[in-house]
Amino acid sequence: MHPPQRIGRYRLDRRLGAGGFGVVWLAHDEVLDAVVAVKVLSENWADHLDVRERFLSEARLLRKADSNRVVQVYDIGELPDGRPYFVMEYADGGTLEDRVGGGSLPVPEALRLTALAARGAAALHKAGIVHRDIKPSNVLLRTAPGAGDRVLLADLGLAKSLAHASGLTMAAGSAGYTPPEQSRPGSGIDARADVYSLGALGYHLVTGTVPGPPGKVVRPDRLRTGLAPGVQRALLRAMEPDRERRWPTALDLAEELERLAEVTPASAARTTRRRRRTVVAAVALAVVVAAGGVTAALVTRHSSGGSVRVSDASGRLTVEVPRGWARQLRDSGWNPRTVGLPDAHEPGLAVADDLAAWQDLRSGVDGVFVGLSEHGDVRAEVASLAHTGCHYDGSRSYAGAHWHGPVRTWSDCPGAHGSLTEAGLTPAGGAAQPRLYVQIRQKGDSDATDRVLGSVRVGT
Ligand code: ATP
Ligand code: MG
């Protein structure tokens, strides 16, 4: 089936992702000149009249909630072949699943994000709606310059619970986030079902692990050492199998998490992460010069304006960097084992103004390392790296025309001004391969990260 290029007044630009019921597209509303996201129900579900009806009623309910903590729905309609779709607000910051990227978050950040999702759930509950499918991929982020991220709930689980109740096979489950009463037909669902899922969401962000089934959840402090007892208690109370014992409302949970976020020192949270991950990080930084530090004088492939495109020895990998970075090149590949992936020799290159100083965080360097990885989940590995003594500036999801994935930045490493950026990239179109591990070091204030990430090309 050919992907549509346009739906009515919406021009589809690229696929943002796919879930159990359909595909979500990044689109341009040509009448209002605005960026939107369009979710189209997949063909196999479009034949189920009841699922189809729920898909559309979901859009109507999201609209009814009319809250800025819930994704806005602008329009609903039907393709010529009968598949329904709805048009919604585009969340440029990706989902909480992207943000956590296979790892965990600093505890205060995890608590604040969960509290914001809980406030979104409270807004739905006020409108008489139970979400039923709160999980990281259904919590969206929208960047608001200077004001932190906005957190938006998306995707009610109405269609999913209907499919489940009628015994239809679902492609994607949400195991770990679902309270026991939701898998027991006829037990009646109320707002406390969402309290359970919110607890599971917080648990995932804090521990980096999807919780086990209700009643068999591993204590969070076993997965994250040094976790404050209050945080553990709040999360486990939300995930009580007996809903009478949970936080009575999503708002109660939100307030407790916000209070805990205030009293949990960010530095303590960082220390735990550091202790656990530092070894990997130190090795990762040595990637480039490990083999005796032999560096080639730079061979310039071709250059445009102020930048230069360089290639690795295999010729598969190229990247464009600002001219000032392109003094030395090491093009002989890398071993993904340095970031915890299976042992291999893969194409990789490093280009910098001073490669000898690359692994020394105290010195200022401008450059980039790009390594290809055919095996293993680079994105997850990137999410678990940390750099001793540097200030962690946080993570965001990068979404360019060619690549997307988590990007994490550190600044002000001991004794040096500048930044260190790590990214794990996969193709923007949603393919799993090729995967890239990228490290960028910059000593000045100007930031070429997105330009460099966007310029990476992998040949066959
Ligand atoms: P499920 O079907 O179980 O809900 P899912 O949440 O991963 O799984 P979808 O809801 O179909 O699947 O969404 C697919 C992906 O599209 C999401 O994971 C997210 O990355 C992206 N996405 C969905 N809605 C938006 C939006 N409004 N703005 C930006 N990205 C979105
Ligand atoms: Mg979803």
Side-chain angles (χ1 to χ4, degrees):
M1 166 82 213
H2 232 50
Q5 289 182 338
R6 150 177 305 283
I7 294 178
R9 68 196 239 194
Y10 308 101
R11 185 190 72 223
L12 305 191
D13 288 337
R14 73 182 161 85
R15 224 173 102 119
L16 288 168
F21 284 99
V23 177
V24 179
W25 299 88
L26 176 69
H28 190 86
D29 177 343
E30 300 200 321
V31 176
L32 292 178
D33 187 21
V35 179
V36 294
V38 181
K39 184 164 185 172
V40 185
L41 187 66
S42 58
E43 268 166 296
N44 51 328
W45 288 109
D47 296 337
H48 291 275
L49 286 186
D50 37 8
V51 169
R52 179 195 170 85
E53 197 33 57
R54 292 281 180 121
F55 179 84
L56 291 175
S57 64
E58 158 169 352
R60 293 189 197 105
L61 280 177
L62 284 171
R63 181 146 195 154
K64 186 176 145 208
D66 189 31
S67 160
N68 62 2
R69 299 184 187 277
V70 172
V71 73
Q72 300 237 24
V73 172
Y74 303 132
D75 195 6
I76 61 179
E78 214 171 76
L79 294 184
D81 66 11
R83 281 178 291 165
Y85 66 85
F86 66 84
V87 180
M88 59 183 149
E89 178 177 9
Y90 168 57
D92 62 343
T95 68
L96 275 191
E97 181 161 274
D98 303 330
R99 169 74 61 102
V100 66
S104 58
L105 297 177
V107 175
E109 185 188 354
L111 298 177
R112 271 187 209 103
L113 289 168
T114 309
L116 287 168
R119 289 190 175 274
L124 285 174
H125 299 158
K126 204 164 148 214
I129 302 162
V130 181
H131 187 291
R132 299 168 197 237
D133 198 18
I134 296 173
K135 57 175 178 176
S137 73
N138 285 342
V139 182
L140 307 177
L141 298 164
R142 222 183 136 149
T143 52
D149 291 337
R150 267 178 65 208
V151 169
L152 305 168
L153 285 189
D155 257 354
L156 303 180
L158 278 181
K160 188 174 276 178
S161 44
L162 175 83
H164 181 84
S166 20
L168 300 169
T169 321
M170 278 298 306
S174 309
Y177 305 98
T178 314
E181 70 266 21
Q182 216 167 299
S183 352
R184 277 196 305 266
S187 52
I189 301 293
D190 63 29
R192 290 171 296 179
D194 287 347
V195 170
Y196 185 100
S197 309
L198 288 161
L201 176 79
Y203 180 104
H204 184 162
L205 301 185
V206 165
T207 64
T209 310
V210 179
K216 299 203 177 105
V217 173
V218 175
R219 278 174 39 181
D221 64 352
R222 298 246 164 90
L223 300 164
R224 181 145 191 172
T225 42
L227 188 67
V231 174
Q232 162 133 308
R233 265 198 305 276
L235 295 176
L236 290 179
R237 177 169 174 198
M239 297 174 75
E240 280 284 351
D242 175 2
R243 62 186 170 193
E244 294 294 333
R245 303 180 63 175
R246 288 176 206 155
W247 295 98
T249 69
L251 211 54
D252 292 315
L253 174 62
E255 284 168 358
E256 175 65 359
L257 296 179
E258 280 157 6
R259 191 186 67 76
L260 289 164
E262 287 305 311
V263 299
T264 308
S267 54
R270 267 208 305 271
T271 314
T272 329
R273 288 170 69 78
R274 266 200 318 251
R275 221 180 288 136
R276 204 155 41 119
R277 318 281 196 186
T278 306
V279 179
V280 182
V283 183
L285 271 171
V287 161
V288 173
V289 286
V294 183
T295 55
L298 190 64
V299 185
T300 305
R301 275 298 174 91
H302 58 83
S303 44
S304 61
S307 57
V308 176
R309 180 165 287 276
V310 296
S311 157
D312 81 310
S314 75
R316 281 188 69 193
L317 199 59
T318 71
V319 61
E320 198 169 305
V321 297
R323 183 179 296 282
W325 299 14
R327 296 221 180 93
Q328 296 174 335
L329 172 70
R330 185 173 163 79
D331 60 1
S332 53
W334 74 306
N335 188 339
R337 195 184 49 194
T338 39
V339 290
L341 293 170
D343 204 10
H345 184 88
E346 306 251 28
L349 69 83
V351 54
D353 57 351
D354 181 6
L355 278 178
W358 185 265
Q359 81 279 41
D360 180 7
L361 286 176
R362 288 163 306 179
S363 58
V365 179
D366 276 325
V368 56
F369 166 80
V370 188
L372 195 63
S373 163
E374 310 272 22
H375 314 279
D377 187 354
V378 175
R379 290 165 60 138
E381 295 306 329
V382 163
S384 69
L385 295 171
H387 296 286
T388 313
C390 308
H391 177 261
Y392 178 51
D393 295 341
S395 78
R396 64 184 170 99
S397 38
Y398 166 79
H402 293 89
W403 306 101
H404 70 149
V407 173
R408 306 173 82 223
T409 306
W410 287 261
S411 61
D412 296 328
C413 299
H417 177 65
S419 68
L420 167 62
T421 302
E422 307 255 15
L425 303 178
T426 51
Q433 296 282 1
R435 301 188 179 110
L436 297 168
Y437 169 62
V438 184
Q439 245 177 17
I440 297 176
R441 294 195 58 188
Q442 293 175 93
K443 57 180 177 236
D445 285 323
S446 69
D447 183 5
T449 305
D450 286 19
R451 210 150 37 97
V452 171
L453 295 179
S455 76
V456 178
R457 297 288 178 274
V458 177
T460 42

